[in-house]
C-alpha cells in the first residue's frame, strides 16, 4: 500500500513524536534578526531569557534602517554642445582692426556656457576650451561622444562686402539659400586645410550622402532652434535682412543631433567687430541665446528628442 512517504515506512514517526515547541522556538529565534527584544517578548513570552538577550545583542550590532523611498528618477538635464569656430593655426576671419574670429568665438561661447550653467537647467560641453585646431568632422564626433542634445557652432566670419552687418543663423541643406551663404559655406568648409595632409575632408559626393542621412526629426529640431534664435535676437541684436539661412556646412551634418551655426556678426564690418570685442555685447548675445535655448527645450517634442 502506498503511504506517500519514502519506502512506504512510517514506523519511525510513532517511535518519536516531533516536539511542537522546537519549531516555534526556531522561528522565534530567527525573528531575532528582525525584531527588537521587546517585540520578541510580545510574540513569545515563554522564550527563555537568554534568547531575548541574544536577539537584543544582534539588534544592537545590526540596527535596522527604514527602507529607502524609491520614486521616478528625474530626467537628465539636456547637454548643449557649444562649438567655438576655428582655433589654433586656423584664425578664422581677421577683423579690420586685426581681431581674430577664433578669439571672439571662444570668448562668446565661454560666456554662453557660463550663463547656461548658472541657470541650472543644462549640462554644457565645449568642442574646444582653448586655442587649438579641431577638424570639422572632429567637432561633430565630439558632440556624438557626449551624446549631445543640441549642437551650436559660433562664428563671426567676414564677407567681401564690408557694409554687410548683423547676426544670422544657418541650418543644413544640400543647396544654399542664397549666393552669400554659399560663399560662406565654402569658406567654412575649407577650414580643414589648416590641418595638414593628415586631415582629409570628404569629397562633395560623400558629403552629399552624409547630408541625406540626417533624419527629418533632426532637421525639424534644427529649424526650430534657428527660429528661436532669430526671435530672441530680434529685439536686442541687429540681424541680416533674411537672418535664417541654410547651406551645406560640414559641421552641421550630424544625423541625429539638431545643429545650427550662429554668425554673431561679421568681422569685415567695423561696427560688428567693435561690438564683438566688448564683453558687455557678448553677454547680451549669450543672454539671447539662453532665451532661445529655453524656448527650444520648452517644446514638448524637443524635450522628448533630447531625453529620449
Amino acid at each position: 500500500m502506498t503511504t506517500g512517504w519514502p519506502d512506504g515506512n512510517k514506523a519511525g514517526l510513532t517511535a518519536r513524536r516531533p516536539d511542537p515547541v522546537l519549531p516555534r522556538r526556531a522561528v522565534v529565534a530567527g525573528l531575532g534578526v528582525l525584531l527588537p527584544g521587546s517585540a520578541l517578548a510580545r510574540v513569545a513570552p515563554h522564550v527563555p531569557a537568554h534568547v531575548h538577550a541574544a536577539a537584543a545583542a544582534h539588534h544592537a550590532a545590526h540596527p535596522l534602517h527604514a527602507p529607502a523611498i524609491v520614486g521616478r528618477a528625474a530626467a537628465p538635464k539636456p547637454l548643449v554642445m557649444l562649438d567655438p569656430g576655428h582655433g589654433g593655426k586656423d584664425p578664422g576671419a581677421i577683423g579690420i582692426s586685426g581681431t581674430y574670429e577664433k578669439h571672439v568665438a571662444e570668448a562668446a561661447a565661454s560666456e554662453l556656457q557660463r550663463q547656461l550653467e548658472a541657470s541650472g537647467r543644462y549640462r554644457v560641453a565645449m568642442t574646444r576650451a582653448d586655442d587649438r585646431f579641431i577638424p570639422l568632422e572632429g567637432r561633430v564626433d565630439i558632440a556624438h561622444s557626449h551624446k549631445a542634445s543640441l549642437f551650436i557652432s559660433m562664428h563671426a566670419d567676414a564677407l567681401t562686402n564690408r557694409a554687410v552687418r548683423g547676426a544670422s543663423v544657418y541650418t543644413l541643406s544640400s543647396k544654399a539659400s542664397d549666393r552669400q551663404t554659399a560663399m560662406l559655406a565654402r569658406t567654412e568648409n575649407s577650414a580643414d586645410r589648416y590641418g595638414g595632409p593628415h586631415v582629409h575632408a570628404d569629397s562633395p559626393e560623400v558629403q552629399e550622402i552624409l547630408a541625406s542621412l540626417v533624419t527629418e526629426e533632426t532637421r525639424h529640431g534644427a529649424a526650430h532652434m534657428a527660429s528661436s534664435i532669430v526671435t530672441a535676437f530680434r529685439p536686442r541684436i541687429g540681424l541680416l535682412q533674411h537672418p535664417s539661412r541654410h547651406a551645406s556646412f560640414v559641421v552641421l551634418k550630424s544625423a541625429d543631433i539638431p545643429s545650427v551655426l550662429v554668425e554673431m556678426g561679421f568681422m569685415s564690418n567695423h561696427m560688428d567687430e567693435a561690438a564683438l570685442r566688448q564683453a558687455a555685447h557678448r553677454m547680451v548675445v549669450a543672454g539671447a541665446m539662453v532665451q532661445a535655448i529655453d524656448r527650444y527645450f520648452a517644446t514638448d517634442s524637443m524635450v522628448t528628442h533630447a531625453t529620449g
Side-chain angles (χ1 to χ4, degrees), residues 198-246:
H198 65 283
V199 176
H200 298 286
D202 289 329
S203 67
E205 292 77 14
V206 172
Q207 290 295 341
E208 186 68 24
I209 293 173
L210 291 175
S212 70
L213 298 177
V214 177
T215 67
E216 188 60 33
E217 182 182 14
T218 301
R219 292 181 186 277
H220 175 75
H224 177 66
M225 184 60 201
S227 175
S228 296
I229 292 173
V230 170
T231 300
F233 274 12
R234 195 175 297 281
R236 313 181 193 183
I237 301 163
L239 293 166
L240 294 184
Q241 187 174 1
H242 301 288
S244 186
R245 306 186 179 201
H246 52 263

Side-chain angles (χ1 to χ4, degrees), residues 110-307:
S110 295
E111 174 59 25
L112 178 53
Q113 178 185 32
R114 185 190 69 78
Q115 292 192 28
L116 286 172
E117 290 179 340
S119 75
R121 294 185 291 273
Y122 309 101
R123 293 172 295 142
V124 185
M126 302 257 281
T127 56
R128 68 176 183 92
D130 52 18
D131 188 14
R132 61 193 175 100
F133 174 81
I134 302 175
L136 297 175
E137 292 172 10
R139 297 167 186 264
V140 180
D141 291 340
I142 292 172
H144 285 156
S145 68
H146 281 78
K147 296 180 171 57
S149 303
L150 181 65
F151 179 91
I152 302 174
S153 193
M154 302 183 70
H155 292 259
D157 281 291
L159 299 172
T160 54
N161 185 352
R162 295 187 175 188
V164 177
R165 65 171 307 204
S168 48
V169 58
Y170 301 80
T171 54
L172 179 66
S173 175
S174 58
K175 294 184 178 180
S177 55
D178 55 274
R179 183 177 178 182
Q180 177 179 295
T181 302
M183 295 176 61
L184 189 63
R186 282 196 296 270
T187 299
E188 282 300 320
N189 292 346
S190 67
D192 281 347
R193 70 186 184 277
Y194 290 97
H198 65 283
V199 176
H200 298 286
D202 289 329
S203 67
E205 292 77 14
V206 172
Q207 290 295 341
E208 186 68 24
I209 293 173
L210 291 175
S212 70
L213 298 177
V214 177
T215 67
E216 188 60 33
E217 182 182 14
T218 301
R219 292 181 186 277
H220 175 75
H224 177 66
M225 184 60 201
S227 175
S228 296
I229 292 173
V230 170
T231 300
F233 274 12
R234 195 175 297 281
R236 313 181 193 183
I237 301 163
L239 293 166
L240 294 184
Q241 187 174 1
H242 301 288
S244 186
R245 306 186 179 201
H246 52 263
S248 184
F249 291 92
V250 171
V251 78
L252 302 181
K253 291 185 178 179
S254 169
D256 53 7
I257 303 175
S259 304
V260 296
L261 186 150
V262 178
E263 290 286 357
M264 299 173 287
F266 292 100
M267 303 298 286
S268 47
N269 180 276
H270 73 278
M271 288 186 287
D272 274 0
E273 181 198 21
L276 289 168
R277 287 170 58 94
Q278 302 299 315
H281 179 75
R282 295 194 299 270
M283 288 180 65
V284 173
V285 172
M289 291 289 297
V290 172
Q291 182 181 345
I293 292 167
D294 284 344
R295 182 180 291 111
Y296 172 84
F297 284 109
T299 304
D300 290 342
S301 62
M302 294 304 103
V303 172
T304 300
H305 177 86
T307 60

Side-chain angles (χ1 to χ4, degrees), residues 86-117:
H86 309 282
K89 63 187 76 176
D90 173 15
I94 301 177
I96 295 175
S97 67
T99 308
Y100 284 3
E101 178 188 1
K102 66 177 183 177
H103 297 318
V104 168
E106 183 183 342
S110 295
E111 174 59 25
L112 178 53
Q113 178 185 32
R114 185 190 69 78
Q115 292 192 28
L116 286 172
E117 290 179 340

